[in-house]
Amino acid sequence: MAKGRRGAGPTNSDTDELPKAKLSIANLKKSLRLFGYLGKHKWKFVLGMIFLVGSAGVGLIFPLKSGQMLGYLAEETKDVETVRVELMEIGGVLLGILLLQAAFSFGRVYLFAQVTENILKALRLDTFKRLIQMPMSFFSKSQVAELSSRMATDISVISDAFTINIAELIRQTIVGVGGLVILVMTSGPIAKWFLVIIPPLTIVSILFARKIRKFSKTYQEKIAESNVVVGEALTGISNVKTFTNEDYEINKYDKLANIIREFGLKYGIFRGLFFSFVMVFVFGSVFFILWQMLFALKVDKTLTPEAFGTFMMLSLFVAGSLGGLPEQIASLQRALGATDRVFELIDGTIEDIDLGSTTDAEKTKSGEIEFKNVSFNYPTRPDFVVLKDVSFKAQTGQTVALVGSSGSGKSTIASMISRFYDPINGEIIIDGKNSKEYSLTDLRKKIALVPQDVILFAGTIRDNIAYGRPNATEEEIAEAAKKANAYDFIESFPDKFTTLVGERGIQLSGGQRQRIAIARAVLKNPSILILDEATSSLDSESEHLVQEALEKLMVGRTSIVIAHRLSTIRNADKIVVLQKGVVLETGTHSELMKHEEGLYYKLNRMQFEMA
């Protein structure tokens, strides 16, 4: 069975790590670009905003009416029957408010969900479409984990912003500010104490909580570091015991344990101070305001029972809304940062690829390759010359082997044939025409690659073979498998061509994966074939089967073979010997073996002696 995918979604720690953008006019304008993905769903967003404002507005009526109900706790002048009738009326109004607010809330959530999912679908597709068309120079300086994060975590944060954060920010602002205005209008003498005491306390509490969260995060990171030490020591326990390094590992863990203890003590002090602050100042302020209210109600007679109840309910709503605003603002800042990172990808430079092309590559004059004085260095290492004035020619149908020590430029030459990179100087001529004059789609349709480390896609064997030509028939796929010496082992599986290969093809052996890759290349029917150490990591039996399949595949095609095992390229039409990006020798095996001072001769002697 294929391995299940773990950690598919972003965690809270993932979103906490996201960079926050400032709530500036410029950043907000950038984020408005997201609304360009709405298309014909703009009216749903407008209607959802109307429902949101309606829900918040109706929500402000609730504490007024419920406060009026609480006022009856101190009511002594009205008879029981009057109170009963009035309470029933207020209860009916409250029920109506709740039902109206429920309808508004459902409409808002439903419409925002539709708007968000349409934006995210278009955004995901646009991001992936741009990402997969990026040039190889982009992938050489980017980490796959970071790119996956932009596709998963960043877009998830944007989703939360549209479905939760924007709505909550607007709702809490309306309730908080509107509630404060009503408080001042209805309970002026008491409201001044609320305005003087509660906002500063809220700010101090937020800052305190942020400091504690920062300590908690560091504390967890230190614990994670100690877990790494434990995991490494136990995973490599044979090495630990062989080198008698038990004491070394214990001391290493002890140092981390001491650091964890110090952070734990500081964390405990801050938590203790926070709880003390809450006990003394927060609860003290609440009781002080309550005391002022009761004094105004019972002694000064400046506060009516109804105003007392209204103030109680409004103050709870206002405090809750204002207290939640900082978290919503922080979430919105994370969403702005995530939006920036996603649009960096979407706005990146991509290759000029014809996504709609379904035609096969032109086969006339197919396969001739010539390097003319090609020099190259990777964009990430401009001072390091990889190829210097490289020249050689492969006639149509010839097999040209590239030989040399690691780092001599063999794989770079193969990459440049496919135009993953372009020369700094010189030309690469394909079929009499500069490779830059071809469209990338037409050029790459001429070429197939069989690498040393074959990566299969998690799916069926059939899907992986058909990757060479997705519109191939079942008969063509089966024929390609036969030519690749893969048909027999595929048919031996219970599910045959529908056998799942697992993640990266883990369910198949190295030789089987290699033959699937060859079948894929057979199906593509290229005019140029690149073999990058295609048999070097296989056992003798698998190597024989793969080599036999490769020989069938190479017939009638121009083949560029990268080889460390020189015995596999003795029959090549031409061997190009490279050293530090420079062509030292060119010729057949027999010609090069005549030069005892040459690099090829020395490499052959070295491999023979090692064997």
Side-chain angles (χ1 to χ4, degrees), residues 60-185:
L60 276 173
I61 304 173
F62 188 86
L64 288 174
K65 284 298 178 183
S66 57
Q68 187 180 345
M69 183 185 289
L70 287 176
Y72 282 90
L73 291 172
E75 182 61 64
E76 298 173 352
T77 58
K78 296 180 180 179
D79 61 82
V80 175
E81 183 59 25
T82 302
V83 171
R84 187 186 71 80
V85 172
E86 290 180 354
L87 283 175
M88 289 295 290
E89 289 176 354
I90 294 172
V93 172
L94 287 174
L95 179 61
I97 290 170
L98 290 174
L99 291 173
L100 186 58
Q101 194 171 19
F104 277 141
S105 297
F106 175 80
R108 184 260 296 178
V109 171
Y110 175 71
L111 288 168
F112 274 18
Q114 288 207 340
V115 166
T116 302
E117 290 307 319
N118 280 290
I119 288 177
L120 294 183
K121 187 263 179 184
L123 191 62
R124 284 190 181 103
L125 180 61
D126 210 1
T127 307
F128 182 72
K129 189 189 294 184
R130 302 288 294 192
L131 187 60
I132 208 163
Q133 294 180 80
M134 291 290 186
M136 290 299 288
S137 57
F138 169 81
F139 293 103
S140 66
K141 60 186 178 185
S142 303
Q143 293 183 338
V144 172
E146 185 203 352
L147 298 176
S148 298
S149 170
R150 294 193 192 191
M151 284 291 296
T153 308
D154 287 4
I155 292 180
S156 176
V157 169
I158 294 170
S159 169
D160 288 343
F162 270 91
T163 53
I164 301 170
N165 303 131
I166 293 176
E168 282 302 302
L169 183 64
I170 294 172
R171 189 190 68 79
Q172 289 177 3
T173 301
I174 292 173
V175 172
V177 176
L180 277 175
V181 172
I182 296 171
L183 274 177
V184 172
M185 290 173 61

Side-chain angles (χ1 to χ4, degrees), residues 327-393:
E327 182 56 38
Q328 299 306 329
I329 291 171
S331 297
L332 201 57
Q333 286 178 293
R334 281 193 289 268
L336 289 174
T339 303
D340 268 351
R341 297 200 328 160
V342 169
F343 280 126
E344 276 178 17
L345 283 181
I346 292 175
D347 294 336
T349 303
I350 61 172
E351 294 181 320
D352 184 16
I353 297 171
D354 182 6
L355 295 177
S357 175
T358 57
T359 58
D360 290 332
E362 184 187 358
K363 292 294 189 285
T364 57
K365 276 189 68 184
S366 56
E368 186 178 272
I369 304 170
E370 184 177 5
F371 273 58
K372 282 186 174 181
N373 308 112
V374 170
S375 296
F376 175 74
N377 57 263
Y378 286 102
T380 52
R381 293 177 292 170
D383 299 329
F384 182 76
V385 178
V386 180
L387 297 177
K388 186 177 180 181
D389 204 29
V390 169
S391 297
F392 69 88
K393 188 171 185 178

